[in-house]
């Protein structure tokens, strides 16, 4: 079970890294004027939750408490 958890975090980390690389490439396309940009509202809770889940093990190991301040304002 512990190894499965570790593997799940590794997979999540690799997907996150791929997303970061894709975002950097998109930013370069935006900067070059090759990708149009439009502002819109978005739900961020799943992304914030995933980021906290991804880093919680490392934070706990270092005695760092992660707090989602948005939870106090959730509707």
């Amino acid at each position: 079970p512990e190894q499965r958890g570790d593997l799940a975090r590794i997979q999540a980390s690799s997907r996150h890294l791929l997303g970061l690389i894709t975002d950097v490439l998109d930013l370069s396309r935006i900067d070059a004027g090759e990708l149009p940009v439009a502002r819109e509202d978005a739900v961020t809770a799943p992304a914030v939750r995933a980021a906290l889940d991804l880093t919680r093990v490392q934070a706990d190991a270092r005695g760092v408490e992660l707090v989602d301040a948005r939870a106090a304002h959730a509707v």
Side-chain angles (χ1 to χ4, degrees):
E2 184 179 335
Q3 288 179 341
R4 288 188 189 278
D6 291 343
L7 286 173
R9 279 191 297 284
I10 290 169
Q11 287 177 325
S13 294
S14 66
R15 285 190 301 271
H16 178 68
L17 181 56
L18 179 59
L20 289 174
I21 292 168
T22 301
D23 290 347
V24 168
L25 292 172
D26 285 347
L27 287 172
S28 68
R29 290 176 57 205
I30 290 168
D31 192 45
E34 298 173 359
L35 185 65
V37 179
R39 182 180 298 250
E40 63 182 57
D41 291 335
V43 176
T44 59
V48 171
R49 194 173 308 113
L52 291 173
D53 290 345
L54 188 62
T55 56
R56 190 168 310 283
V57 171
Q58 295 89 345
D60 289 345
R62 289 171 177 79
V64 175
E65 181 184 7
L66 297 178
V67 177
D68 183 356
R70 296 166 317 103
H73 304 291
V75 177

